[in-house]
Amino acid sequence: MTAQEFKSAILMKRPRYANSKIPVIEAFANKGQSKSEYSQFGPIYELYIYAFRLGLKKGLRLPLPPRNSTRDFVEIGKWKRDSSLVDFLLMIVFSHSEEIDFDWNDLEDMDEKELNQVVSNIVEFIESYANGGLQYLQEEWENDNLINSSYLFVDLMND
């Protein structure tokens, strides 16, 4: 498998998020709303990428609940308002290959079953850290620990 085929296999996946995180997603992702109490991201996937990065930075890997308690996004490859965000996400993911349990040098020799497992591990890695980041954001929001400012999301990364 070439690097481009590997990337394409990942871009076809539909990460999930927990239904319990919908209130925090609605509070911080602008889905056509013009006003909110807090600074907002645009599409939900921008908040999801931020939550992934926040969860990773804070070491908050939280597995998703069972499938009947989650929702699917559209495919990662369709997160296209700014494809550099997807490239940024993948760059972070690929820099954690040891944690995801794959070796770049072994990819070209893997059979389809092994490659599918690596792709599944990557999606699970993204989902679990995004879930942890969303959980952190939700707890801070519900406990009124957030001070709305232009730098709210930068400040959360620095805490």
Side-chain angles (χ1 to χ4, degrees), residues 16-146:
R16 298 176 296 137
Y17 59 95
N19 290 338
S20 63
K21 304 301 182 263
I22 291 173
V24 74
I25 289 170
E26 288 177 347
F28 293 102
N30 183 334
K31 301 176 302 183
Q33 302 167 347
S34 58
K35 294 186 178 186
S36 172
E37 181 180 348
Y38 294 96
S39 297
Q40 290 187 310
F41 288 87
I44 294 172
Y45 69 82
E46 290 178 356
L47 173 61
Y48 191 79
I49 292 171
Y50 172 80
F52 163 73
R53 184 65 186 100
L54 180 66
L56 189 63
K57 178 165 177 46
K58 296 192 176 290
L60 302 171
R61 190 168 188 176
L62 181 62
L64 285 175
R67 184 163 284 283
N68 64 349
S69 298
T70 63
R71 292 197 183 177
D72 290 352
F73 275 109
V74 297
E75 296 88 358
I76 294 172
K78 292 185 179 177
W79 298 357
K80 289 290 188 185
R81 187 172 89 148
D82 181 359
S83 64
S84 64
L85 281 177
V86 173
D87 292 341
F88 174 72
L89 172 72
L90 293 177
M91 180 183 68
I92 293 170
V93 168
F94 294 155
S95 69
H96 287 83
S97 61
E98 288 181 12
E99 186 176 348
I100 299 168
D101 195 28
F102 78 94
D103 184 329
W104 282 102
N105 297 320
D106 295 340
L107 283 178
E108 65 184 37
D109 296 328
M110 288 183 183
D111 62 27
E112 188 173 342
K113 183 179 177 183
E114 292 170 314
L115 286 167
N116 287 337
Q117 185 59 53
V118 168
V119 171
S120 291
N121 291 351
I122 288 170
V123 173
E124 181 183 323
F125 178 81
I126 294 168
E127 291 170 336
S128 62
Y129 277 114
N131 194 41
L134 286 170
Q135 179 67 33
Y136 178 83
L137 189 56
Q138 186 168 8
E139 289 171 2
E140 293 296 302
W141 175 58
E142 288 174 348
N143 293 323
D144 290 325
N145 293 336
L146 301 179

